[in-house]
Amino acid sequence: MEWNIRKAVKADEPTIKSLFIEMLQTIYSKKDVDGYEDGYLDKFFSGREDWICVAEASGSVIAYLSIEVHHEQENFIYLDDLSVSTAYRDHGIGTALIKIAERFAEEKNIPTIVFHVEKSNRSAFRLYERLGYSILSDEDTRFRMVKRVF
């Protein structure tokens, strides 16, 4: 299976929204889930530091990872959402997207990557552990995970 990774463009937004719904349906094992609020994704297409990385195969977006840059007491990268279409899971696409985010963090000289994972999403949790992420805090139904990339 061949796929490539690139920066998302505004035209990818409908597919990203669909992948988000697919991810939520998988995590919560139900069809009735809410998608992004109107305008939420705009910040990723504004040309500022936040962006979305997509994987595509045969000209179609099959996965994405949203990447936010936070300048707070300690600068960090927050991985907001990662979704790989069901048909393309277990092919290393999620790992490749996370590695892109880690390289981006290094380029921006930001040593820490943080994200949340639902406790019920065991396969994602195992992936993050394999990639060197650890639990920073237990937040009710999810864990806050962290990795220092340098």
Side-chain angles (χ1 to χ4, degrees):
M1 167 187 317
E2 290 188 33
W3 44 272
N4 65 296
I5 294 177
R6 63 173 173 78
K7 184 175 183 176
V9 295
K10 184 74 171 167
D12 296 320
E13 188 172 13
T15 306
I16 290 167
K17 287 179 174 181
S18 294
L19 285 167
F20 181 67
I21 293 291
E22 184 178 336
M23 174 189 62
L24 293 177
Q25 289 172 334
T26 300
I27 290 171
Y28 298 115
S29 300
K30 63 181 187 175
K31 292 285 182 200
D32 185 29
V33 295
D34 294 327
Y36 289 118
E37 291 181 18
D38 287 341
Y40 176 77
L41 293 175
D42 292 348
K43 67 182 178 180
F44 296 105
F45 301 111
S46 69
R48 294 189 182 106
E49 290 181 297
D50 299 342
W51 62 291
I52 295 176
C53 186
V54 297
E56 65 180 356
S58 304
S60 297
V61 172
I62 57 169
Y64 78 97
L65 173 64
S66 23
I67 301 165
E68 298 177 355
V69 178
H70 288 258
H71 298 287
E72 297 173 14
Q73 282 185 314
E74 180 185 344
N75 294 337
F76 65 94
I77 300 289
Y78 183 78
L79 304 182
D80 192 21
D81 293 312
L82 170 63
S83 179
V84 178
S85 182
T86 305
Y88 293 93
R89 292 181 186 156
D90 299 320
H91 293 285
I93 297 168
T95 297
L97 290 170
I98 291 170
K99 293 294 184 185
I100 293 283
E102 291 175 354
R103 281 197 300 274
F104 175 72
E106 290 174 11
E107 290 168 10
K108 298 291 279 180
N109 200 32
I110 298 175
T112 306
I113 295 181
V114 177
F115 60 88
H116 287 93
V117 62
E118 295 294 324
K119 291 178 181 178
S120 62
N121 195 349
R122 298 296 306 156
S123 61
F125 181 78
R126 285 190 303 274
L127 166 66
Y128 303 140
E129 278 192 319
R130 269 194 321 272
L131 294 175
Y133 290 82
S134 59
I135 297 171
L136 178 64
S137 59
D138 185 330
E139 299 177 0
D140 194 27
T141 63
R142 60 189 190 165
F143 294 118
R144 184 176 184 94
M145 298 191 77
V146 65
K147 178 178 180 180
R148 293 198 53 93
V149 291
F150 63 89

PDB file of all heavy atoms in Angstrom, residues 33 106 115 130 144:
ATOM      1  N   VAL A  33     -22.388  10.762  17.237  1.00  0.00           N
ATOM      2  CA  VAL A  33     -21.345  11.570  17.872  1.00  0.00           C
ATOM      3  C   VAL A  33     -21.371  12.960  17.241  1.00  0.00           C
ATOM      4  O   VAL A  33     -21.837  13.140  16.119  1.00  0.00           O
ATOM      5  CB  VAL A  33     -19.946  10.936  17.714  1.00  0.00           C
ATOM      6  CG1 VAL A  33     -19.856   9.613  18.454  1.00  0.00           C
ATOM      7  CG2 VAL A  33     -19.593  10.751  16.246  1.00  0.00           C
ATOM      8  N   GLU A 106      11.176  19.429  16.974  1.00  0.00           N
ATOM      9  CA  GLU A 106      12.622  19.649  16.987  1.00  0.00           C
ATOM     10  C   GLU A 106      12.995  20.880  16.164  1.00  0.00           C
ATOM     11  O   GLU A 106      13.821  21.688  16.592  1.00  0.00           O
ATOM     12  CB  GLU A 106      13.349  18.410  16.469  1.00  0.00           C
ATOM     13  CG  GLU A 106      13.277  17.237  17.429  1.00  0.00           C
ATOM     14  CD  GLU A 106      13.884  15.958  16.864  1.00  0.00           C
ATOM     15  OE1 GLU A 106      14.555  16.010  15.801  1.00  0.00           O
ATOM     16  OE2 GLU A 106      13.683  14.908  17.487  1.00  0.00           O
ATOM     17  N   PHE A 115      -0.490  15.240  24.590  1.00  0.00           N
ATOM     18  CA  PHE A 115      -1.815  14.975  24.022  1.00  0.00           C
ATOM     19  C   PHE A 115      -2.635  14.188  25.019  1.00  0.00           C
ATOM     20  O   PHE A 115      -2.127  13.737  26.047  1.00  0.00           O
ATOM     21  CB  PHE A 115      -1.729  14.229  22.685  1.00  0.00           C
ATOM     22  CG  PHE A 115      -1.042  12.901  22.786  1.00  0.00           C
ATOM     23  CD1 PHE A 115      -1.741  11.761  23.105  1.00  0.00           C
ATOM     24  CD2 PHE A 115       0.311  12.797  22.568  1.00  0.00           C
ATOM     25  CE1 PHE A 115      -1.106  10.544  23.223  1.00  0.00           C
ATOM     26  CE2 PHE A 115       0.956  11.590  22.671  1.00  0.00           C
ATOM     27  CZ  PHE A 115       0.241  10.458  22.998  1.00  0.00           C
ATOM     28  N   ARG A 130       4.537   2.568  22.737  1.00  0.00           N
ATOM     29  CA  ARG A 130       5.610   2.049  21.874  1.00  0.00           C
ATOM     30  C   ARG A 130       6.484   3.175  21.334  1.00  0.00           C
ATOM     31  O   ARG A 130       7.673   2.980  21.096  1.00  0.00           O
ATOM     32  CB  ARG A 130       5.025   1.281  20.674  1.00  0.00           C
ATOM     33  CG  ARG A 130       4.824  -0.176  20.895  1.00  0.00           C
ATOM     34  CD  ARG A 130       4.582  -0.957  19.610  1.00  0.00           C
ATOM     35  NE  ARG A 130       3.757  -0.330  18.600  1.00  0.00           N
ATOM     36  CZ  ARG A 130       2.429  -0.419  18.514  1.00  0.00           C
ATOM     37  NH1 ARG A 130       1.758  -1.117  19.391  1.00  0.00           N
ATOM     38  NH2 ARG A 130       1.783   0.180  17.541  1.00  0.00           N
ATOM     39  N   ARG A 144      -3.447  12.128  30.062  1.00  0.00           N
ATOM     40  CA  ARG A 144      -2.633  13.145  29.409  1.00  0.00           C
ATOM     41  C   ARG A 144      -1.256  12.510  29.284  1.00  0.00           C
ATOM     42  O   ARG A 144      -0.667  12.096  30.284  1.00  0.00           O
ATOM     43  CB  ARG A 144      -2.580  14.428  30.243  1.00  0.00           C
ATOM     44  CG  ARG A 144      -1.826  15.562  29.588  1.00  0.00           C
ATOM     45  CD  ARG A 144      -1.932  16.817  30.470  1.00  0.00           C
ATOM     46  NE  ARG A 144      -1.321  17.952  29.847  1.00  0.00           N
ATOM     47  CZ  ARG A 144      -1.966  18.854  29.094  1.00  0.00           C
ATOM     48  NH1 ARG A 144      -3.257  18.743  28.898  1.00  0.00           N
ATOM     49  NH2 ARG A 144      -1.320  19.868  28.563  1.00  0.00           N
TER      50      ARG A 144
END
